[in-house]
Amino acid sequence: MNISEGRNHPLLEKISEGIKESSREIHLFSCSSDKDHNRSVFTFAGSPRGVLETSWQACVEAVSLLDIRQHQGVHPRIGVVDVIPFVPLLNTSMAECSDIAHQLGNRVGMDLEIPVFMYGNAAASPDRSNLAWIRRGGLPGLAERMLTHPADYGPREVHPSAGAAAIGSRKILIAFNIDLDSRNLEAARKIAASVRESSGGLPQVKALGLFLESRGHVQVSMNLADYRITSVARVFNEVEKLARAEGIKIIESEIIGHLPREALDEGEAYRMKIKGFDPGKTYIEDNLEKLIYDRP
């Protein structure tokens, strides 16, 4: 669950506590926040019923506390509760995740009066399955498209303070960022364009070049939509090669959220300078064990 806030830690702690207390059937894996992106990713899992109810309660909390009109950050966004993906794990199917996504989308649209766009496997049509279509032009661009392409649920106009939301179902996606020892934004954008699929780069890779004001350097921020097609190691090696050609070194990299063990070898993780890498916290399988064995 992606929230457009990454700086107000007391507020984020309040949302985290709400997630923990919302249902005995879920387990909060982590909350990853970034000041420059001004974004937080809450990762939790559990029974379909528990995940649905927890997602709803977190939406209510975030919408009551945040105002998208006050938001400033380098990460693209369309709303306070920006993106909510449901991912099948263990014995859950994609169809079940899509059903949960639609239940939540309907509730957010009706009760919170926020326009909801369904994406991924839950999308009503192929053109809306790609999150890039929803995000194009940011919230102003989406508001304009809504004149001819209304939301799947909710009102025909964006919510004044909450904006809009993208809710869907998809396979495991790996959010992977690489920080470069440079302030050259054009170089970062050039590298991002070289690795992203839409520009002729690596398949199943989306990438942006960003400047991180608080860190004083640039970053290549990426989503790996299918790690079996393009691995984390392959992406790192390609960015490293492209950066070297620009005379730039890699400072560190980071995984936002979690990933399967088969997606990344522990030895490779240390070679790739992944910040704060901890196998017990990073691998999905280890967190699922906590869900199974620690549940009251």
Side-chain angles (χ1 to χ4, degrees):
M1 183 173 191
N2 300 262
I3 303 294
S4 295
E5 175 57 59
R7 301 169 183 172
N8 189 330
H9 293 289
L11 184 150
L12 294 172
E13 184 62 29
K14 185 175 181 180
I15 295 175
S16 292
E17 288 303 313
I19 290 174
K20 293 175 184 177
E21 297 170 2
S22 64
S23 172
R24 294 166 62 89
E25 298 180 20
I26 70 100
H27 185 88
L28 177 64
F29 289 179
S30 67
C31 170
S32 300
S33 300
D34 187 276
K35 179 180 180 180
D36 295 290
H37 287 237
N38 201 8
R39 188 177 186 83
S40 295
V41 180
F42 296 88
T43 305
F44 50 91
S47 70
R49 180 181 61 183
V51 168
L52 175 59
E53 183 58 30
T54 297
S55 299
W56 165 249
Q57 294 296 337
C59 284
V60 172
E61 188 80 1
V63 169
S64 71
L65 295 171
L66 299 172
D67 189 333
I68 196 63
R69 293 169 295 191
Q70 308 301 319
H71 186 276
Q72 292 183 332
V74 296
H75 197 288
R77 70 277 181 185
I78 58 168
V80 163
V81 183
D82 195 51
V83 182
I84 306 177
F86 292 91
V87 180
L89 299 172
L90 295 177
N91 299 319
T92 306
S93 68
M94 186 67 76
E96 287 178 290
C97 287
S98 295
D99 180 62
I100 294 170
H102 277 278
Q103 289 184 56
L104 180 64
N106 182 50
R107 196 170 179 184
V108 169
M110 290 186 63
D111 295 356
L112 296 181
E113 298 183 336
I114 297 172
V116 176
F117 290 83
M118 308 304 297
Y119 81 102
N121 290 76
S125 58
D127 62 326
R128 295 194 181 198
S129 64
N130 193 336
L131 196 56
W133 179 88
I134 303 171
R135 276 192 179 147
R136 191 173 70 245
L139 187 55
L142 180 61
E144 185 175 343
R145 283 196 301 283
M146 286 177 65
L147 296 174
T148 53
H149 297 77
D152 296 291
Y153 297 105
R156 298 183 66 89
E157 297 180 346
V158 299
H159 189 283
S161 61
I167 300 177
S169 58
R170 59 164 172 75
K171 296 185 293 185
I172 292 171
L173 175 150
I174 298 173
F176 183 49
N177 300 329
I178 298 179
D179 288 14
L180 305 178
D181 191 12
S182 171
R183 298 178 62 90
N184 189 337
L185 180 56
E186 287 307 310
R189 287 174 172 170
K190 179 181 177 182
I191 293 169
S194 296
V195 297
R196 65 172 170 255
E197 181 178 25
S198 64
S199 300
L202 301 174
Q204 298 296 307
V205 174
K206 300 178 181 180
L208 292 172
L210 307 171
F211 180 73
L212 309 181
E213 185 68 38
S214 71
R215 306 183 203 181
H217 59 245
V218 294
Q219 179 185 81
V220 179
S221 180
M222 295 166 287
N223 283 339
L224 282 59
D226 193 332
Y227 65 88
R228 294 184 176 90
I229 294 177
T230 300
S231 68
V232 178
R234 183 182 177 191
V235 169
F236 180 89
N237 292 339
E238 186 66 18
V239 171
E240 185 177 46
K241 181 185 75 174
L242 293 166
R244 188 183 302 116
E246 298 288 332
I248 299 172
K249 295 181 179 180
I250 289 176
I251 299 173
E252 62 185 8
S253 63
E254 62 179 342
I255 299 291
I256 305 299
H258 309 270
L259 79 176
R261 277 189 173 276
E262 67 174 1
L264 180 66
D265 179 80
E266 287 186 34
E268 286 287 281
Y270 295 110
R271 182 186 71 81
M272 290 188 282
K273 306 177 182 178
I274 296 181
K275 180 174 62 176
F277 179 77
D278 181 340
K281 295 180 180 179
T282 306
Y283 290 131
I284 291 174
E285 292 85 349
D286 291 14
N287 284 277
L288 286 175
E289 288 182 3
K290 297 174 187 175
L291 171 65
I292 295 170
Y293 295 112
D294 293 352
R295 184 184 298 171

